[in-house]
Amino acid sequence: MTIILAQHDQAPARTKRSDAMNDNVLTVEGLKVGFRTDKGRFSILDGVDFTLRRGRTLCLVGESGCGKSVTALSIMGLLAENAEILGGSARLNQHELIGLDRHALRRLRGDAMAMIFQEPMTSLNPAFTIGNQLIEGIRQHSDLEGAAAREHAIEMLKRVRIPAAEQRMGEYPHQLSGGMRQRVMIAMALANDPGLLIADEPTTALDVTIQAQILQLIRRLQHDSGTAVLMITHDLGVVAEVGDDVAVMYAGRIVERGSVTALFDDPLHPYTIGLLSSIPRLDDTLTRLSTIPGSVPTPAEMPRGCRFSTRCPFADQHCREEVPPLAAVGNDKEHVVACWKAPIEHCEECSESREVMA
Ligand SMILES: Nc1ncnc2c1ncn2[C@@H]1O[C@H](COP(=O)(O)OP(=O)(O)OP(=O)(O)O)[C@@H](O)[C@H]1O
Ligand code: SF4
Ligand SMILES: [Mg+2]
């Protein structure tokens, strides 16, 4: 495999308002979410854990349907009506988000935390100019009014490298290209200097050149401001490009987590190993897994023990019955894995299946 890890910049240049005592911007612990549907109640997230530090980018990766967006929406307080938070916590700068009322969450969104989506049109209003939308977002979350708010809006468009920023203020979203719209979304998201930015597949809809520009832009703005970024992606090329840390999700659980270098150099979970060996090109996505047969179990048929047991070549009865905990298995205590047999290369009974995976 030929993924080259990007050399990341040093610590962020500027101190954030939120970091006085603690570098942990977001702490998610044991987050459990289910949905009520006409077919019954289903567990989707089953104990998601991760921590995101100031100025760092944590990439959340996994196949379609594994719960990446549900995780993001739970943090932002934007889950659908039929969702139920069944347990756990998500703390933003030590303040619990789970259970906050709508009003408090709305105040935090666009201020202390912000989110950008794959398709910017889901957040931009086609009926208003981008200037109006930017100014409104700034006014709602700051003391700036009138000319000062307008000036800040123009400044934000310049920061995201939108040419002729003043002129663009008067344009409507449909007058901009997809890449420019995504830049506007980033400007809106960062206008009030949030401590946390969640980006859910922000470049998937864009062509490869624009993708690279947008990723660089996020990285540069993050370096300037110290914002913590939760980057949701299918794409291991994106992880290599912008990630400091990575959490691999499978069927609503984190199955492996660690620094990008540790995970790429020494993947421990059979699912991660499968993901890494299934990417023929840097820009390919994880929607298909050439080396792992089968597909993610549906919420209605989730296995009792390890959720990967229906596809794992190393699965046995113990795996099918007992949930493996996330734990370190080597010297790197930050590199954790949820697998009874990790590291696989030390598992004697796994040798035959290893040959199948190789
Ligand atoms: N409102 C809902 N009601 C019922 N099930 C839902 C709802 N929203 C999401 N789900 C289910 O939750 C699971 C996780 O969905 P989620 O959107 O988080 O996946 P994802 O990892 O973001 O996938 P993708 O990469 O395709 O965006 C899926 O099985 C999905 O069908
Ligand atoms: S716990 Fe068992 S089934 Fe799950 S990934 Fe590890 S070996 Fe495979
Ligand atoms: Mg999603």
Side-chain angles (χ1 to χ4, degrees):
M1 191 182 52
T2 53
I3 284 186
I4 298 161
L5 298 183
Q7 292 294 311
H8 292 155
D9 299 324
Q10 305 291 303
R14 197 149 57 81
T15 304
K16 294 293 296 179
R17 57 175 110 96
S18 58
D19 66 345
M21 300 298 289
N22 198 323
D23 251 10
N24 287 351
V25 174
L26 177 69
T27 309
V28 176
E29 279 175 341
L31 185 61
K32 295 186 181 203
V33 175
F35 286 106
R36 294 179 306 272
T37 71
D38 48 8
K39 295 191 183 112
R41 293 173 119 103
F42 299 111
S43 148
I44 298 294
L45 301 187
D46 186 42
V48 170
D49 291 280
F50 60 83
T51 302
L52 180 49
R53 279 182 286 157
R54 191 175 80 85
R56 306 274 291 184
T57 296
L58 172 74
C59 292
L60 195 55
V61 294
E63 279 168 288
S64 192
C66 69
K68 304 182 295 296
S69 295
V70 170
T71 303
L73 296 172
S74 311
I75 296 163
M76 295 296 291
L78 289 172
L79 282 170
E81 285 289 314
N82 64 332
E84 299 175 306
I85 299 215
L86 303 169
S89 88
R91 293 188 303 279
L92 182 68
N93 305 316
Q94 304 307 315
H95 300 294
E96 183 60 61
L97 297 172
I98 305 299
L100 273 188
D101 64 53
R102 279 166 187 273
H103 182 66
L105 280 164
R106 197 174 307 129
R107 230 175 331 116
L108 286 174
R109 284 196 297 269
D111 180 4
M113 59 184 182
M115 183 161 171
I116 51 178
F117 300 87
Q118 178 175 331
E119 179 38 74
M121 285 311 273
T122 51
S123 312
L124 289 171
N125 188 329
F128 293 97
T129 64
I130 61 166
N132 273 340
Q133 296 182 59
L134 258 169
I135 290 170
E136 191 49 32
I138 291 166
R139 287 181 55 235
Q140 272 178 16
H141 295 282
S142 74
D143 301 332
L144 298 179
E145 290 287 344
R150 181 179 163 78
E151 223 169 90
H152 185 48
I154 295 170
E155 173 57 29
M156 286 310 300
L157 291 182
K158 288 182 179 164
R159 281 183 67 197
V160 297
R161 304 253 162 100
I162 290 197
E166 291 199 32
Q167 186 189 320
R168 294 287 187 180
M169 291 278 286
E171 294 186 356
Y172 290 86
H174 75 265
Q175 293 175 274
L176 306 181
S177 67
M180 283 295 156
R181 281 203 287 261
Q182 200 52 292
R183 283 173 192 264
V184 171
M185 275 314 305
I186 296 169
M188 285 176 74
L190 297 181
N192 298 302
D193 201 15
L196 171 69
L197 173 69
I198 299 183
D200 191 350
E201 308 269 7
T203 58
T204 309
L206 304 172
D207 76 47
V208 177
T209 323
I210 309 292
Q211 271 188 24
Q213 290 171 4
I214 296 287
L215 291 175
Q216 270 171 20
L217 175 70
I218 293 174
R219 195 77 200 167
R220 185 172 52 77
L221 294 172
Q222 175 187 36
H223 176 251
D224 293 346
S225 64
T227 306
V229 175
L230 179 64
M231 174 72 69
I232 294 175
T233 180
H234 280 97
D235 186 337
L236 290 173
V238 171
V239 177
E241 179 68 30
V242 302
D244 297 299
D245 303 294
V246 55
V248 180
M249 239 183 150
Y250 184 80
R253 290 186 186 141
I254 304 291
V255 295
E256 184 164 358
R257 203 182 58 217
S259 71
V260 169
T261 318
L263 203 115
F264 276 69
D265 287 354
D266 185 23
L268 298 170
H269 197 280
Y271 180 61
T272 315
I273 295 168
L275 291 184
L276 288 170
S277 56
S278 70
I279 35 169
R281 294 201 325 270
L282 269 186
D283 59 347
D284 203 8
T285 64
L286 307 183
T287 41
R288 70 200 160 79
L289 278 177
S290 54
T291 55
I292 308 178
S295 53
V296 184
T298 64
E301 55 194 24
M302 228 23 112
R304 195 147 51 102
C306 172
R307 291 186 166 184
F308 191 55
S309 59
T310 53
R311 297 169 81 185
C312 180
F314 312 110
D316 63 14
Q317 203 52 27
H318 182 213
C319 300
R320 283 186 271 274
E321 279 168 11
E322 302 248 359
V323 179
L326 257 185
V329 293
N331 293 332
D332 178 357
K333 299 298 170 215
E334 303 281 305
H335 187 182
V336 290
V337 59
C339 170
W340 293 118
K341 299 185 181 182
I344 294 295
E345 68 267 24
H346 294 158
C347 164
E348 283 179 17
E349 78 228 56
C350 301
S351 58
E352 257 181 47
S353 307
R354 267 202 303 270
E355 280 162 30
V356 175
M357 275 196 95

